[in-house]
Amino acid sequence: MSDADVIVVGFGFAGGITAIEAADAGAKVILLEKMPDPGGISVCSAGGIRVAKDAKKALAYLVATNGGTTPTPVLKALADGMTDVGAYMKRLGNAAGAVVAERPAEGNYPFEGYDTFGFSNVDDIPGVDLARTFPHVRGNPAGARMFKVVLDNVMKRPIDVRLNTPVRRLVREGDKVVGVETDKGRLRARSEEH
């Protein structure tokens, strides 16, 4: 018997987006966060999501700057995703009532393709007082605005969010991870044979 189809560990940007995507795909999702408040270090970040206008230019730049440490198919997947992420963030922003904008990036190394990059940022969320929403957060408000968009989108979905739930270890059966052990007990994910 499984507790969820997908168990996500950590509720920052990556964990929140993973939970959103899994829920939108029809999965029963549990999102675990060890702290009493969601956000991790994401809520304190500069809040810019890297975007690109042209996947070919982005790939050329990524190949030039990674020093051969990452396989080209992985860089291509990243470059392709960077051309889609701006529209994705606008959709999430619209669902949260936020104003999302894209700006060109400055300060890139002058390698081929550098001029294709920019950032997607949340400029405003009308009616939201970030000091009230995240009283424990200090630093750049841009990260808090971006995380508020992710948080609002998580809360609009049937995602089981559990705060104060640190994961202590992965639960394995043979070479497969089938769940997690938390301070509050074990959680099991649905397992499928592929």
Side-chain angles (χ1 to χ4, degrees):
M1 182 80 174
S2 66
D3 296 294
D5 298 315
V6 176
I7 299 170
V8 180
V9 179
F11 191 179
F13 289 151
I17 296 295
T18 300
I20 289 165
E21 288 301 299
D24 287 355
K28 178 182 176 188
V29 180
I30 297 175
L31 176 54
L32 304 174
E33 171 55 48
K34 68 182 175 183
M35 300 302 289
D37 299 296
I41 60 169
S42 297
V43 72
C44 302
S45 74
I49 305 298
R50 190 79 140 154
V51 298
K53 294 177 276 187
D54 182 287
K56 286 182 182 178
K57 284 181 153 189
L59 177 59
Y61 184 85
L62 294 171
V63 167
T65 58
N66 91 74
T69 60
T70 305
T72 300
V74 173
L75 295 175
K76 183 177 181 331
L78 175 59
D80 290 345
M82 292 171 88
T83 63
D84 297 332
V85 75
Y88 179 81
M89 291 312 303
K90 283 182 182 178
R91 281 194 309 276
L92 290 183
N94 287 341
V99 178
V100 178
E102 285 185 25
R103 290 177 187 74
E106 297 177 14
N108 290 319
Y109 295 109
F111 293 114
E112 179 184 352
Y114 78 95
D115 58 341
T116 195
F117 293 108
F119 287 99
S120 178
N121 293 91
V122 175
D123 285 351
D124 189 25
I125 308 172
V128 172
D129 179 352
L130 293 174
R132 278 199 157 140
T133 304
F134 303 114
H136 59 288
V137 173
R138 305 293 179 266
N140 194 329
R145 284 191 301 269
M146 183 65 77
F147 187 73
K148 176 72 167 118
V149 166
V150 173
L151 176 64
D152 285 356
N153 276 274
V154 165
M155 301 316 272
K156 288 181 178 184
R157 289 162 171 83
I159 297 170
D160 181 358
V161 177
R162 299 182 188 183
L163 303 174
N164 289 310
T165 309
V167 170
R168 297 300 176 196
R169 69 181 193 89
L170 300 176
V171 177
R172 298 175 183 264
E173 287 180 1
D175 62 352
K176 270 181 97 170
V177 175
V178 297
V180 295
E181 187 173 305
T182 74
D183 286 354
K184 299 174 183 181
R186 282 188 176 197
L187 295 170
R188 189 168 177 85
R190 181 173 54 116
S191 123
E192 290 182 22
E193 293 298 322
H194 295 283

